[in-house]
Amino acid sequence: MPLINPKITHLSTLYSPTLKEDPVDAEIASHRLLLRAAMMRRISSGIYAFLPLGYRVLRKIEQIIREEMDAIGCQELLMPILQPAELWHESGRWDVYGPELMRLTDRHENCYALGPTHEELITALTRNELRSYKELPLSLYHMHWKYRDEVRPRFGLLRGREFLMKDAYSFHASQECLQEHYDAQAQAYGRICHRLGLVWRGVEADSGQIGGQTSVEFMALAQTGEAGILYCDCGFAANVEVANAQVALKSHAVAFEKVATPNTEAIADVAAYLKVNEASCVKALCGRDGQDRTTILFVPGNHELSETKAANLLGSFTLLDDEEIKKAGLVKGYLGPVGLSKDVQVYADASLKELPQWICGANEEGYHYVGATLGTDFEITQWAELIEAREGDGCPACGKALTAARGIEVGQVFQLGTKYSEAMQARYMDEDNAEKPFVMGCYGWGVTRSLAAVVEQHYDEQGIIWPVSVCPAEVVVIPLAAGDELVEPAALSLAEDLCAAGIEVAFDDRAERAGVKFNDADLIGWPYQLIVGKRGLESGVVEFKERATGERQEIPLDTVAATVAKMVQDARVGKE
Ligand code: ATP
Ligand code: MG
């Protein structure tokens, strides 16, 4: 191995096998570019190894998260990945988590889970030793690999089966105290997004498998994001899974009448047949709830049912198939509230309160009612928010039209309340000498996912454009004539000057053509390039290129180190 300055990244010895061609199975930019720029390699479905440069970026992201957690008094520890099944039985999640939970058995037939999240473990860890109100509040976090056997691992780091998460858990004696720390966590998450250079939005969210009531997701905005978001200028923003909205419906004012509507099982067909707007019709979904009760949900004809809202309301909601509908004595495609069997449970979407007259199924093959009047021809006793809101619907806060966007969920904060502390009997002694369950919060951040999200927002045709805050090194010095007696030493001396000024420097001392070096520099995405050529040196200048803008300038050789160091330092501060 040649003698090298350990503070400088010498590309001649760096393990960084960049790829000229796009990998065939990479569908989105971050996946494609992280592979091409040799930041990572795929080991198996949803499982990746980080190569030296990618690992550097990952550690910088970890460090930003660590600083923000430490700043709000959250203490770092490290918990195991392997979690005994008993803990999951205690919380009840061993049975409900489903096939996403990776389970294994040891040689003594003991069962374990590979942690997908750590609520059980942290609760078990603290419950016997965190005993008094005087020790509260307490907030703890760790950064560790998580395992989820996702149905569809895809998009590289965005949806992996093994991924790095920062997860924090807090313990409180009151809801007010939880709220205070929850707000501090949410603010820290905003700062993390900012420092990673992400364009983001905090949105109201469903709390899913983790549980609890109040939750916000942090979304990095990107067309490739898997999450749908609805937002309004007034500040309202929510995941489409849970967004409520004001829906404009069109009451079709006619006399109550049963009309023949042959072959009109779908709403579009009914509306076309009767020459009315779909917003005048009511759609029925027939399913089974969490307690196995036949349940019909009515929603406006121009909207879809939100599966998340239905599942939250009913424990679960599974659509019946044709056979099951028939067996329940119901008529598929022609379900309506008029004369409906009392044996079925009925809910209607809250927006339908504003539709005085419904066009709905007549519970008879080939017939619908028109002009069915709520309160006269039928009653609805249970109302709920059921529809998936969409762009153009009215904002629930101010009524203005909602705008749609897509996002990558990089983090989520939850108020758990006493869900885990009650199930796992984690109690403390309060001031009044009474034992009470902890009020808990938890705060997850996808470290590897956010690395990919940064790339989704920072790339161009040529490659990645790392924000200075997380780049593998800030400046790459590129000598144009490898081995040249004049150029190479001059370039190395520049690299050393920059390094001495506290700048992170990479030095492209590979015996490659200039074109190869330029392409790799753009692909890897170092924020700044210093190009040292023979002709420039003879006239006393070095070329400087900013990767993000493509702007080039010539800087006099004698001031170049100071000038570049200053620019990089300013860019660092700008991102903080
Ligand atoms: P998703 O809805 O995308 O499946 P989630 O809501 O189930 O994610 P959480 O339980 O909130 O995920 O986990 C906290 C964070 O961990 C998420 O905000 C996300 O950044 C990250 N994360 C979750 N699942 C994955 C995954 N399969 N691959 C990479 N990161 C993930
Ligand atoms: Mg989440």
Side-chain angles (χ1 to χ4, degrees), residues 249 267-268 277-283 299-304 352 355 390:
L249 300 177
I267 281 292
N277 196 297
E278 287 182 19
S280 314
C281 304
V282 174
K283 183 163 30 185
V299 299
N302 60 347
H303 277 75
E304 300 300 327
L352 290 170
L355 186 70
R390 56 183 195 207

mmCIF file of all heavy atoms in Angstrom, residues 249 267-268 277-283 299-304 352 355 390:
data_model
loop_
_atom_site.group_PDB
_atom_site.id
_atom_site.type_symbol
_atom_site.label_atom_id
_atom_site.label_comp_id
_atom_site.label_asym_id
_atom_site.label_seq_id
_atom_site.Cartn_x
_atom_site.Cartn_y
_atom_site.Cartn_z
ATOM 1 N N LEU A 249 -71.452 17.336 -2.136
ATOM 2 C CA LEU A 249 -72.351 16.335 -2.707
ATOM 3 C C LEU A 249 -73.509 17.053 -3.405
ATOM 4 O O LEU A 249 -73.780 18.218 -3.125
ATOM 5 C CB LEU A 249 -72.865 15.410 -1.601
ATOM 6 C CG LEU A 249 -71.759 14.644 -0.873
ATOM 7 C CD1 LEU A 249 -72.339 13.808 0.254
ATOM 8 C CD2 LEU A 249 -70.989 13.760 -1.844
ATOM 9 N N ILE A 267 -71.261 2.095 -9.232
ATOM 10 C CA ILE A 267 -71.776 3.463 -9.117
ATOM 11 C C ILE A 267 -71.750 4.189 -10.464
ATOM 12 O O ILE A 267 -72.698 4.874 -10.835
ATOM 13 C CB ILE A 267 -70.939 4.237 -8.064
ATOM 14 C CG1 ILE A 267 -71.390 3.856 -6.653
ATOM 15 C CG2 ILE A 267 -71.050 5.738 -8.259
ATOM 16 C CD1 ILE A 267 -72.780 4.331 -6.274
ATOM 17 N N ALA A 268 -70.678 3.996 -11.222
ATOM 18 C CA ALA A 268 -70.561 4.680 -12.513
ATOM 19 C C ALA A 268 -71.724 4.286 -13.425
ATOM 20 O O ALA A 268 -72.271 5.129 -14.150
ATOM 21 C CB ALA A 268 -69.226 4.328 -13.172
ATOM 22 N N ASN A 277 -75.080 12.836 -11.433
ATOM 23 C CA ASN A 277 -73.687 12.896 -11.011
ATOM 24 C C ASN A 277 -73.412 11.795 -9.982
ATOM 25 O O ASN A 277 -74.283 11.483 -9.170
ATOM 26 C CB ASN A 277 -73.470 14.272 -10.373
ATOM 27 C CG ASN A 277 -72.014 14.600 -10.262
ATOM 28 O OD1 ASN A 277 -71.287 13.908 -9.571
ATOM 29 N ND2 ASN A 277 -71.605 15.651 -10.961
ATOM 30 N N GLU A 278 -72.193 11.215 -10.002
ATOM 31 C CA GLU A 278 -71.861 10.190 -8.994
ATOM 32 C C GLU A 278 -71.965 10.747 -7.579
ATOM 33 O O GLU A 278 -72.180 10.009 -6.623
ATOM 34 C CB GLU A 278 -70.445 9.638 -9.228
ATOM 35 C CG GLU A 278 -70.377 8.723 -10.443
ATOM 36 C CD GLU A 278 -69.004 8.118 -10.667
ATOM 37 O OE1 GLU A 278 -68.186 8.106 -9.717
ATOM 38 O OE2 GLU A 278 -68.765 7.653 -11.796
ATOM 39 N N ALA A 279 -71.801 12.077 -7.455
ATOM 40 C CA ALA A 279 -71.878 12.712 -6.133
ATOM 41 C C ALA A 279 -73.306 12.747 -5.597
ATOM 42 O O ALA A 279 -73.548 13.167 -4.471
ATOM 43 C CB ALA A 279 -71.300 14.119 -6.202
ATOM 44 N N SER A 280 -74.305 12.338 -6.408
ATOM 45 C CA SER A 280 -75.687 12.250 -5.921
ATOM 46 C C SER A 280 -76.000 10.842 -5.429
ATOM 47 O O SER A 280 -77.051 10.602 -4.831
ATOM 48 C CB SER A 280 -76.686 12.559 -7.042
ATOM 49 O OG SER A 280 -76.303 13.693 -7.746
ATOM 50 N N CYS A 281 -75.108 9.890 -5.728
ATOM 51 C CA CYS A 281 -75.362 8.481 -5.417
ATOM 52 C C CYS A 281 -74.634 8.075 -4.140
ATOM 53 O O CYS A 281 -73.660 8.688 -3.748
ATOM 54 C CB CYS A 281 -74.868 7.598 -6.558
ATOM 55 S SG CYS A 281 -75.578 8.036 -8.149
ATOM 56 N N VAL A 282 -75.129 7.019 -3.528
ATOM 57 C CA VAL A 282 -74.500 6.506 -2.312
ATOM 58 C C VAL A 282 -74.030 5.079 -2.583
ATOM 59 O O VAL A 282 -74.774 4.258 -3.119
ATOM 60 C CB VAL A 282 -75.477 6.547 -1.129
ATOM 61 C CG1 VAL A 282 -74.867 5.875 0.095
ATOM 62 C CG2 VAL A 282 -75.841 7.994 -0.806
ATOM 63 N N LYS A 283 -72.774 4.841 -2.217
ATOM 64 C CA LYS A 283 -72.150 3.544 -2.455
ATOM 65 C C LYS A 283 -72.169 2.742 -1.160
ATOM 66 O O LYS A 283 -71.989 3.309 -0.079
ATOM 67 C CB LYS A 283 -70.705 3.828 -2.887
ATOM 68 C CG LYS A 283 -69.918 2.619 -3.237
ATOM 69 C CD LYS A 283 -68.653 2.880 -4.051
ATOM 70 C CE LYS A 283 -67.898 4.153 -3.912
ATOM 71 N NZ LYS A 283 -66.779 4.302 -4.820
ATOM 72 N N VAL A 299 -70.905 5.263 1.727
ATOM 73 C CA VAL A 299 -70.021 6.412 1.439
ATOM 74 C C VAL A 299 -70.538 7.125 0.198
ATOM 75 O O VAL A 299 -71.263 6.527 -0.616
ATOM 76 C CB VAL A 299 -68.550 5.972 1.228
ATOM 77 C CG1 VAL A 299 -67.981 5.311 2.461
ATOM 78 C CG2 VAL A 299 -68.396 5.065 0.016
ATOM 79 N N PRO A 300 -70.183 8.400 0.010
ATOM 80 C CA PRO A 300 -70.622 9.115 -1.189
ATOM 81 C C PRO A 300 -70.116 8.392 -2.451
ATOM 82 O O PRO A 300 -69.004 7.869 -2.445
ATOM 83 C CB PRO A 300 -69.962 10.485 -1.068
ATOM 84 C CG PRO A 300 -69.541 10.609 0.351
ATOM 85 C CD PRO A 300 -69.370 9.236 0.892
ATOM 86 N N GLY A 301 -70.931 8.410 -3.487
ATOM 87 C CA GLY A 301 -70.599 7.678 -4.706
ATOM 88 C C GLY A 301 -69.326 8.138 -5.389
ATOM 89 O O GLY A 301 -68.715 7.393 -6.148
ATOM 90 N N ASN A 302 -68.911 9.372 -5.120
ATOM 91 C CA ASN A 302 -67.716 9.875 -5.805
ATOM 92 C C ASN A 302 -66.454 9.721 -4.946
ATOM 93 O O ASN A 302 -65.437 10.326 -5.223
ATOM 94 C CB ASN A 302 -67.908 11.346 -6.196
ATOM 95 C CG ASN A 302 -68.152 12.232 -4.985
ATOM 96 O OD1 ASN A 302 -68.421 11.729 -3.887
ATOM 97 N ND2 ASN A 302 -68.059 13.536 -5.168
ATOM 98 N N HIS A 303 -66.530 8.928 -3.865
ATOM 99 C CA HIS A 303 -65.346 8.715 -3.022
ATOM 100 C C HIS A 303 -65.160 7.237 -2.708
ATOM 101 O O HIS A 303 -66.100 6.460 -2.767
ATOM 102 C CB HIS A 303 -65.461 9.499 -1.712
ATOM 103 C CG HIS A 303 -65.053 10.921 -1.852
ATOM 104 N ND1 HIS A 303 -65.844 11.857 -2.458
ATOM 105 C CD2 HIS A 303 -63.914 11.566 -1.491
ATOM 106 C CE1 HIS A 303 -65.218 13.024 -2.454
ATOM 107 N NE2 HIS A 303 -64.040 12.877 -1.876
ATOM 108 N N GLU A 304 -63.906 6.901 -2.369
ATOM 109 C CA GLU A 304 -63.600 5.532 -1.964
ATOM 110 C C GLU A 304 -63.599 5.444 -0.440
ATOM 111 O O GLU A 304 -63.400 6.442 0.250
ATOM 112 C CB GLU A 304 -62.206 5.122 -2.475
ATOM 113 C CG GLU A 304 -62.050 5.168 -3.994
ATOM 114 C CD GLU A 304 -63.017 4.262 -4.725
ATOM 115 O OE1 GLU A 304 -63.349 3.196 -4.175
ATOM 116 O OE2 GLU A 304 -63.471 4.636 -5.822
ATOM 117 N N LEU A 352 -72.512 12.381 4.408
ATOM 118 C CA LEU A 352 -73.831 12.064 3.852
ATOM 119 C C LEU A 352 -74.972 12.710 4.638
ATOM 120 O O LEU A 352 -76.106 12.748 4.171
ATOM 121 C CB LEU A 352 -74.017 10.541 3.777
ATOM 122 C CG LEU A 352 -73.139 9.842 2.724
ATOM 123 C CD1 LEU A 352 -73.207 8.329 2.878
ATOM 124 C CD2 LEU A 352 -73.562 10.242 1.317
ATOM 125 N N LEU A 355 -76.458 15.267 2.584
ATOM 126 C CA LEU A 355 -77.134 14.857 1.338
ATOM 127 C C LEU A 355 -78.577 14.494 1.709
ATOM 128 O O LEU A 355 -78.844 13.376 2.147
ATOM 129 C CB LEU A 355 -76.412 13.650 0.734
ATOM 130 C CG LEU A 355 -76.904 13.189 -0.647
ATOM 131 C CD1 LEU A 355 -76.525 14.207 -1.723
ATOM 132 C CD2 LEU A 355 -76.307 11.826 -1.008
ATOM 133 N N ARG A 390 -59.641 13.426 -1.004
ATOM 134 C CA ARG A 390 -58.745 13.589 -2.149
ATOM 135 C C ARG A 390 -58.608 15.049 -2.548
ATOM 136 O O ARG A 390 -59.350 15.908 -2.059
ATOM 137 C CB ARG A 390 -59.232 12.747 -3.312
ATOM 138 C CG ARG A 390 -60.638 13.065 -3.685
ATOM 139 C CD ARG A 390 -61.093 12.156 -4.804
ATOM 140 N NE ARG A 390 -62.294 12.715 -5.357
ATOM 141 C CZ ARG A 390 -63.242 12.018 -5.955
ATOM 142 N NH1 ARG A 390 -63.102 10.733 -6.106
ATOM 143 N NH2 ARG A 390 -64.301 12.616 -6.432
#
